[in-house]
Each structure stands twice: as C-alpha cells, then as structure tokens.
Amino acid sequence: MTDVFASPQWFGAWLEAFADKKESISLSVAGTTVPFLVGHASKLGMPLRFLRAPVNAHTPYFSLPFGDGVGEQSRLVELLAQSRCQWAWDWLQLELVPWSSVTHRVFMALNQSGWPVLIEEHPCTAVVDIGEDWDTYVVERLSKKMRTNTNRAENGLKRKGELVFGEHGNSLGWMDSLKAVFSLEARSWKGLKGSAIDCKPSEQKFYKDVLKCAQERGALRIYTLHLDESLIAANIVIIEKGKAYGWKTAYCPDLAKFSPGNVLQRHVLRDLYRQDGIQCLDMLDPVTDWKRRWATRIEPRAFIRVFSPTVKGRLLYHVARRRVVPRQDGVITEKV
C-alpha cells in the first residue's frame, strides 16, 4: 500500500491548498502519478526551467514510490529521460527526502554513475527512538531537570482539577476532536498573527482531507490532555510503516507556566512505547530546543538536484557545486 504522504489523496489535497494548478505537471513513477511544480529562473543570463517536488512546511517528507531498490536506477533514468524530453527541464529538485531511504540511495547511485547530481544534507528532524523499555528511556535519555520539571508541572495541573489523557483518532467523533485542536492552536500566538490553521480555509481543508485519509487507514492518532473537560494540549500523530510522525502540536497559552505540552508529550511517548511495531517518533522540522530535550538523535533529510545531461545542465551543476562543501563520504553540505 502506498504510504499516506505519497498517496493520491495527499498530493491532490496539497496541490489544491498550496499550488497553482497551472504550474503543476504529473510524472508517472512505478505506476503511480506524482505531481511536480514547474519553476522558472535565470542564471548567467540564461532562462531556466526546473521541476520541484511538492513540499513545504506542512510536509513531513517526500519520496518517490520505488520498491526495494532492485532495478530502480534504470527506472529512474527512464523517468528522467522521458520527463526531460517532455518538459525540457534544466534541473529536477527533491527536498525533504528521508536519509538512507530507497529514494536517497537510488539518487546516490545515480550520482556515482556519472550523472550531474548534487545531494545536500539538511539536519532538520528530531527523532525519539522507541526502545524496549520506557523506564530506561526516561532515566538515560531525559535530563534530571526535565524529569523533575515535568513531574512538577503534571502535579500542578492535577491540583487545579481532573487531568485526563486521551486518544481520539479512532473514535467516531474524531473530526470534532480535530476541530477542537485547531481551535486550541488559534488561541496561541499563531492565532494572533493569523498563521493558525483556523485562520486559513485552504490549510484547514488540506488538514481535514489528508487526516481523513489517515483515519480511514487506521494511521491517525489525536492525543489530547483535558483539565476538567477543557482541552489544554493536543498532538496530532500519523503512524506510517512503523514510524510515528508528530505532525501538529498545540497547548493552552494561559497554562504555559504548567508546561502542558511537556506533560502531554510524556504521555504520548509512553503510549507509543506500549504499541507493537513502533520504531520511533519523528518530531519533524524545525529542530527546536524543546524537541532536542526529548530526542535521542537528529536525523537529516536530503536535498537533491539532478541537472540535465546537456552542456547547459553541466554548467549549472558546476556553478551550484561551488556553493557546497564536499565531505569525506561524498555527501555535500551547502556553505553558510
């Protein structure tokens, strides 16, 4: 089964919410239609056209629907040749590709076979590895200060009323729970600045559509923390192929001194530890100090550009390569 983030429902909702349909085209990859956005630029006085993957701040990751990697390089070369013939692109651009994924490995092999490919490492996601023992994680991975402060925060909330942790992704009223999460987010600074989901109808529809897809697959978790029946913190999680993706968090700003987000995060992680087959919680971009306190590691995403095998494409490749610093393992990182 195609994963949630590479499904037709995901791409359709993403394009409707964030893209100009006139600037999108479709490529067929391993029998699956994948949209790309058409971009225009100029360099060295030359007009340029490029194709880029449909990703933005609302996208956990991007990958092409390859199989196990066997024979995928020949399929990729065929895809590049056909799309180049049809769209005359000067480069093709993929962002937020999971490191060491099949997509990443296939493009690494393409690079080593002589194609003009640049692969940059962008450390941009904080991960909590789910081991066998919850208590070991708490003692060995969380600082004593973090444990103490979270205990104090939870006890403080319990003194104010009844504190209830719940999960509503599989309930009949999951959509009502989702609306409550959006409403809670709008009470924060995001609501004041107009960047909350409730402030943007197109984003609201995007989240409802793709989370409906996840809910139908049994992949949606809506974790909540209530105080005397009032929602004070929430975390929307999608489970995909053994990984949990912490997609959206919100908490009541009036109770910030009690750190309801920390209290909920501990309950969420404990619940994930209890579920069979969950390998990790990916807290996604950006890597904040708060996420670092919970994380066991920081995982990179790959930024990949494939240039056309023409004189112009190779010239662009060498110009772009001057802005990156090669590492010993052949991976390059953009200069700052």
Short mmCIF file of all heavy atoms in Angstrom, two decimals, residues 55-93:
data_model
loop_
_atom_site.label_atom_id
_atom_site.label_comp_id
_atom_site.label_asym_id
_atom_site.label_seq_id
_atom_site.Cartn_x
_atom_site.Cartn_y
_atom_site.Cartn_z
N VAL A 55 6.58 20.06 -1.86
CA VAL A 55 6.83 20.03 -0.42
C VAL A 55 6.82 21.45 0.13
O VAL A 55 7.10 22.41 -0.58
CB VAL A 55 8.17 19.35 -0.07
CG1 VAL A 55 8.22 17.92 -0.58
CG2 VAL A 55 9.35 20.14 -0.63
N ASN A 56 6.49 21.57 1.40
CA ASN A 56 6.59 22.83 2.13
C ASN A 56 6.62 22.53 3.62
O ASN A 56 6.85 21.38 4.02
CB ASN A 56 5.44 23.79 1.75
CG ASN A 56 4.07 23.23 2.10
OD1 ASN A 56 3.94 22.18 2.73
ND2 ASN A 56 3.03 23.93 1.68
N ALA A 57 6.37 23.53 4.44
CA ALA A 57 6.46 23.36 5.89
C ALA A 57 5.42 22.39 6.44
O ALA A 57 5.55 21.92 7.58
CB ALA A 57 6.32 24.71 6.59
N HIS A 58 4.40 22.07 5.65
CA HIS A 58 3.35 21.15 6.11
C HIS A 58 3.64 19.71 5.69
O HIS A 58 2.80 18.83 5.89
CB HIS A 58 2.00 21.59 5.54
CG HIS A 58 1.63 22.99 5.91
ND1 HIS A 58 1.05 23.32 7.12
CD2 HIS A 58 1.77 24.16 5.25
CE1 HIS A 58 0.83 24.62 7.18
NE2 HIS A 58 1.27 25.15 6.06
N THR A 59 4.81 19.45 5.09
CA THR A 59 5.14 18.15 4.54
C THR A 59 6.15 17.42 5.42
O THR A 59 7.26 17.91 5.60
CB THR A 59 5.74 18.31 3.12
OG1 THR A 59 4.91 19.19 2.36
CG2 THR A 59 5.86 16.98 2.43
N PRO A 60 5.81 16.26 5.96
CA PRO A 60 6.78 15.52 6.78
C PRO A 60 8.00 15.05 6.01
O PRO A 60 9.12 15.13 6.49
CB PRO A 60 5.96 14.32 7.30
CG PRO A 60 4.54 14.78 7.22
CD PRO A 60 4.48 15.65 6.00
N TYR A 61 7.77 14.52 4.80
CA TYR A 61 8.89 14.09 3.96
C TYR A 61 8.37 13.87 2.55
O TYR A 61 7.17 13.89 2.30
CB TYR A 61 9.54 12.81 4.50
CG TYR A 61 8.64 11.58 4.50
CD1 TYR A 61 8.41 10.85 3.35
CD2 TYR A 61 8.03 11.14 5.68
CE1 TYR A 61 7.59 9.73 3.35
CE2 TYR A 61 7.20 10.03 5.69
CZ TYR A 61 7.00 9.32 4.53
OH TYR A 61 6.17 8.22 4.51
N PHE A 62 9.31 13.67 1.62
CA PHE A 62 8.94 13.36 0.24
C PHE A 62 9.77 12.18 -0.23
O PHE A 62 10.98 12.11 0.01
CB PHE A 62 9.20 14.55 -0.70
CG PHE A 62 8.90 14.24 -2.14
CD1 PHE A 62 7.62 14.33 -2.63
CD2 PHE A 62 9.92 13.84 -3.00
CE1 PHE A 62 7.33 14.02 -3.96
CE2 PHE A 62 9.65 13.53 -4.33
CZ PHE A 62 8.34 13.62 -4.81
N SER A 63 9.11 11.25 -0.90
CA SER A 63 9.84 10.13 -1.51
C SER A 63 9.11 9.68 -2.76
O SER A 63 7.89 9.89 -2.88
CB SER A 63 9.98 8.96 -0.53
OG SER A 63 8.70 8.43 -0.20
N LEU A 64 9.84 9.10 -3.68
CA LEU A 64 9.24 8.54 -4.87
C LEU A 64 8.83 7.10 -4.58
O LEU A 64 9.48 6.41 -3.79
CB LEU A 64 10.22 8.60 -6.03
CG LEU A 64 10.57 10.01 -6.52
CD1 LEU A 64 11.70 9.97 -7.54
CD2 LEU A 64 9.35 10.71 -7.10
N PRO A 65 7.76 6.63 -5.20
CA PRO A 65 7.23 5.29 -4.88
C PRO A 65 8.03 4.16 -5.51
O PRO A 65 7.53 3.39 -6.33
CB PRO A 65 5.80 5.35 -5.43
CG PRO A 65 5.88 6.32 -6.56
CD PRO A 65 6.88 7.36 -6.13
N PHE A 66 9.31 4.08 -5.13
CA PHE A 66 10.13 2.97 -5.58
C PHE A 66 9.85 1.73 -4.73
O PHE A 66 9.26 1.82 -3.66
CB PHE A 66 11.62 3.32 -5.48
CG PHE A 66 12.05 4.37 -6.48
CD1 PHE A 66 12.88 5.41 -6.08
CD2 PHE A 66 11.65 4.31 -7.80
CE1 PHE A 66 13.29 6.38 -6.98
CE2 PHE A 66 12.06 5.27 -8.72
CZ PHE A 66 12.88 6.30 -8.31
N GLY A 67 10.34 0.59 -5.20
CA GLY A 67 10.18 -0.64 -4.43
C GLY A 67 11.34 -0.82 -3.47
O GLY A 67 11.66 0.07 -2.69
N ASP A 68 12.00 -1.97 -3.56
CA ASP A 68 13.09 -2.27 -2.63
C ASP A 68 14.45 -1.79 -3.15
O ASP A 68 15.48 -2.06 -2.54
CB ASP A 68 13.15 -3.77 -2.34
CG ASP A 68 13.32 -4.61 -3.60
OD1 ASP A 68 13.53 -4.02 -4.68
OD2 ASP A 68 13.23 -5.84 -3.50
N GLY A 69 14.46 -1.10 -4.28
CA GLY A 69 15.71 -0.58 -4.82
C GLY A 69 16.29 -1.40 -5.95
O GLY A 69 17.15 -0.93 -6.68
N VAL A 70 15.82 -2.65 -6.12
CA VAL A 70 16.33 -3.51 -7.18
C VAL A 70 15.76 -3.04 -8.53
O VAL A 70 14.56 -3.00 -8.74
CB VAL A 70 15.92 -4.99 -6.94
CG1 VAL A 70 16.40 -5.86 -8.09
CG2 VAL A 70 16.48 -5.47 -5.61
N GLY A 71 16.65 -2.65 -9.44
CA GLY A 71 16.23 -2.20 -10.75
C GLY A 71 15.68 -0.78 -10.77
O GLY A 71 15.24 -0.31 -11.83
N GLU A 72 15.71 -0.10 -9.62
CA GLU A 72 15.11 1.24 -9.56
C GLU A 72 15.93 2.28 -10.31
O GLU A 72 15.38 3.25 -10.83
CB GLU A 72 14.94 1.67 -8.10
CG GLU A 72 14.10 0.74 -7.25
CD GLU A 72 12.66 0.61 -7.74
OE1 GLU A 72 12.29 1.30 -8.70
OE2 GLU A 72 11.90 -0.20 -7.18
N GLN A 73 17.25 2.09 -10.39
CA GLN A 73 18.06 3.09 -11.07
C GLN A 73 17.71 3.16 -12.55
O GLN A 73 17.62 4.26 -13.12
CB GLN A 73 19.55 2.80 -10.90
CG GLN A 73 20.43 3.92 -11.47
CD GLN A 73 21.90 3.72 -11.16
OE1 GLN A 73 22.26 2.93 -10.31
NE2 GLN A 73 22.75 4.46 -11.87
N SER A 74 17.49 2.02 -13.19
CA SER A 74 17.12 2.04 -14.61
C SER A 74 15.76 2.70 -14.80
O SER A 74 15.54 3.43 -15.78
CB SER A 74 17.10 0.62 -15.18
OG SER A 74 16.15 -0.19 -14.51
N ARG A 75 14.83 2.48 -13.84
CA ARG A 75 13.53 3.14 -13.93
C ARG A 75 13.68 4.64 -13.77
O ARG A 75 12.98 5.43 -14.42
CB ARG A 75 12.59 2.58 -12.86
CG ARG A 75 12.24 1.11 -13.02
CD ARG A 75 11.18 0.68 -12.01
NE ARG A 75 10.91 -0.74 -12.10
CZ ARG A 75 11.50 -1.66 -11.33
NH1 ARG A 75 12.39 -1.28 -10.44
NH2 ARG A 75 11.21 -2.93 -11.48
N LEU A 76 14.58 5.04 -12.87
CA LEU A 76 14.80 6.47 -12.65
C LEU A 76 15.40 7.13 -13.89
O LEU A 76 14.97 8.21 -14.30
CB LEU A 76 15.74 6.68 -11.45
CG LEU A 76 16.14 8.13 -11.15
CD1 LEU A 76 14.91 8.99 -10.89
CD2 LEU A 76 17.10 8.19 -9.97
N VAL A 77 16.37 6.49 -14.51
CA VAL A 77 16.98 7.03 -15.72
C VAL A 77 15.93 7.19 -16.82
O VAL A 77 15.88 8.21 -17.53
CB VAL A 77 18.14 6.13 -16.20
CG1 VAL A 77 18.61 6.56 -17.59
CG2 VAL A 77 19.30 6.16 -15.21
N GLU A 78 15.04 6.21 -16.93
CA GLU A 78 13.97 6.28 -17.92
C GLU A 78 13.02 7.44 -17.61
O GLU A 78 12.62 8.19 -18.50
CB GLU A 78 13.19 4.97 -17.94
CG GLU A 78 12.08 4.93 -18.98
CD GLU A 78 11.33 3.60 -18.97
OE1 GLU A 78 11.74 2.69 -18.25
OE2 GLU A 78 10.31 3.52 -19.69
N LEU A 79 12.69 7.61 -16.33
CA LEU A 79 11.82 8.71 -15.91
C LEU A 79 12.45 10.07 -16.24
O LEU A 79 11.79 10.97 -16.77
CB LEU A 79 11.55 8.62 -14.41
CG LEU A 79 10.89 9.84 -13.76
CD1 LEU A 79 9.44 9.97 -14.22
CD2 LEU A 79 10.97 9.76 -12.24
N LEU A 80 13.73 10.20 -15.93
CA LEU A 80 14.42 11.46 -16.18
C LEU A 80 14.47 11.78 -17.67
O LEU A 80 14.24 12.91 -18.09
CB LEU A 80 15.83 11.41 -15.59
CG LEU A 80 15.94 11.29 -14.06
CD1 LEU A 80 17.40 11.15 -13.65
CD2 LEU A 80 15.29 12.47 -13.36
N ALA A 81 14.75 10.77 -18.45
CA ALA A 81 14.85 10.98 -19.90
C ALA A 81 13.50 11.37 -20.49
O ALA A 81 13.40 12.31 -21.29
CB ALA A 81 15.38 9.72 -20.57
N GLN A 82 12.43 10.66 -20.09
CA GLN A 82 11.10 10.96 -20.63
C GLN A 82 10.63 12.34 -20.20
O GLN A 82 10.09 13.10 -21.02
CB GLN A 82 10.11 9.89 -20.16
CG GLN A 82 10.31 8.53 -20.81
CD GLN A 82 9.32 7.50 -20.30
OE1 GLN A 82 8.57 7.74 -19.36
NE2 GLN A 82 9.32 6.33 -20.94
N SER A 83 10.81 12.68 -18.92
CA SER A 83 10.35 13.97 -18.44
C SER A 83 11.17 15.10 -19.03
O SER A 83 10.66 16.19 -19.31
CB SER A 83 10.40 14.02 -16.91
OG SER A 83 11.73 13.89 -16.43
N ARG A 84 12.45 14.86 -19.25
CA ARG A 84 13.32 15.88 -19.86
C ARG A 84 12.86 16.16 -21.30
O ARG A 84 12.80 17.29 -21.75
CB ARG A 84 14.76 15.37 -19.83
CG ARG A 84 15.73 16.21 -20.66
CD ARG A 84 16.26 17.41 -19.89
NE ARG A 84 17.19 18.17 -20.72
CZ ARG A 84 16.88 19.27 -21.37
NH1 ARG A 84 15.67 19.76 -21.32
NH2 ARG A 84 17.78 19.91 -22.08
N CYS A 85 12.52 15.09 -22.02
CA CYS A 85 12.05 15.22 -23.40
C CYS A 85 10.74 16.02 -23.45
O CYS A 85 10.53 16.84 -24.33
CB CYS A 85 11.78 13.84 -23.97
SG CYS A 85 12.83 13.43 -25.31
N GLN A 86 9.85 15.75 -22.46
CA GLN A 86 8.53 16.35 -22.46
C GLN A 86 8.53 17.78 -21.94
O GLN A 86 7.81 18.64 -22.46
CB GLN A 86 7.57 15.50 -21.63
CG GLN A 86 6.12 15.96 -21.70
CD GLN A 86 5.19 15.00 -20.99
OE1 GLN A 86 5.62 14.01 -20.39
NE2 GLN A 86 3.89 15.28 -21.05
N TRP A 87 9.36 18.03 -20.91
CA TRP A 87 9.27 19.33 -20.22
C TRP A 87 10.52 20.17 -20.35
O TRP A 87 10.55 21.32 -19.90
CB TRP A 87 8.95 19.11 -18.73
CG TRP A 87 7.66 18.38 -18.55
CD1 TRP A 87 7.50 17.07 -18.24
CD2 TRP A 87 6.35 18.92 -18.70
NE1 TRP A 87 6.18 16.73 -18.19
CE2 TRP A 87 5.44 17.86 -18.46
CE3 TRP A 87 5.84 20.18 -19.02
CZ2 TRP A 87 4.06 18.04 -18.53
CZ3 TRP A 87 4.47 20.36 -19.08
CH2 TRP A 87 3.59 19.29 -18.84
N ALA A 88 11.58 19.64 -20.95
CA ALA A 88 12.81 20.39 -21.21
C ALA A 88 13.33 21.10 -19.95
O ALA A 88 13.71 22.27 -19.99
CB ALA A 88 12.59 21.41 -22.33
N TRP A 89 13.34 20.36 -18.83
CA TRP A 89 13.81 20.98 -17.59
C TRP A 89 15.34 21.02 -17.55
O TRP A 89 16.03 20.20 -18.16
CB TRP A 89 13.28 20.24 -16.37
CG TRP A 89 13.44 18.74 -16.36
CD1 TRP A 89 12.50 17.82 -16.70
CD2 TRP A 89 14.60 17.98 -15.97
NE1 TRP A 89 12.99 16.55 -16.56
CE2 TRP A 89 14.28 16.61 -16.10
CE3 TRP A 89 15.87 18.32 -15.52
CZ2 TRP A 89 15.17 15.59 -15.81
CZ3 TRP A 89 16.77 17.30 -15.21
CH2 TRP A 89 16.42 15.96 -15.36
N ASP A 90 15.85 22.03 -16.84
CA ASP A 90 17.30 22.15 -16.66
C ASP A 90 17.77 21.46 -15.39
O ASP A 90 18.92 21.06 -15.30
CB ASP A 90 17.69 23.63 -16.63
CG ASP A 90 17.41 24.30 -17.97
OD1 ASP A 90 18.04 23.89 -18.96
OD2 ASP A 90 16.56 25.21 -18.03
N TRP A 91 16.89 21.36 -14.41
CA TRP A 91 17.17 20.51 -13.26
C TRP A 91 15.87 20.08 -12.61
O TRP A 91 14.83 20.70 -12.76
CB TRP A 91 18.11 21.16 -12.25
CG TRP A 91 17.51 22.20 -11.34
CD1 TRP A 91 16.88 22.02 -10.16
CD2 TRP A 91 17.54 23.62 -11.55
NE1 TRP A 91 16.50 23.21 -9.61
CE2 TRP A 91 16.90 24.22 -10.45
CE3 TRP A 91 18.05 24.45 -12.56
CZ2 TRP A 91 16.74 25.60 -10.32
CZ3 TRP A 91 17.89 25.81 -12.43
CH2 TRP A 91 17.26 26.37 -11.33
N LEU A 92 15.94 18.95 -11.91
CA LEU A 92 14.82 18.40 -11.16
C LEU A 92 15.21 18.42 -9.68
O LEU A 92 16.32 18.00 -9.34
CB LEU A 92 14.49 16.99 -11.63
CG LEU A 92 13.28 16.30 -11.00
CD1 LEU A 92 12.52 15.48 -12.03
CD2 LEU A 92 13.71 15.40 -9.85
N GLN A 93 14.30 18.87 -8.82
CA GLN A 93 14.66 19.16 -7.43
C GLN A 93 13.73 18.42 -6.46
O GLN A 93 12.52 18.51 -6.55
CB GLN A 93 14.54 20.67 -7.22
CG GLN A 93 14.80 21.18 -5.84
CD GLN A 93 14.82 22.70 -5.84
OE1 GLN A 93 15.55 23.33 -6.62
NE2 GLN A 93 14.02 23.30 -4.98
#
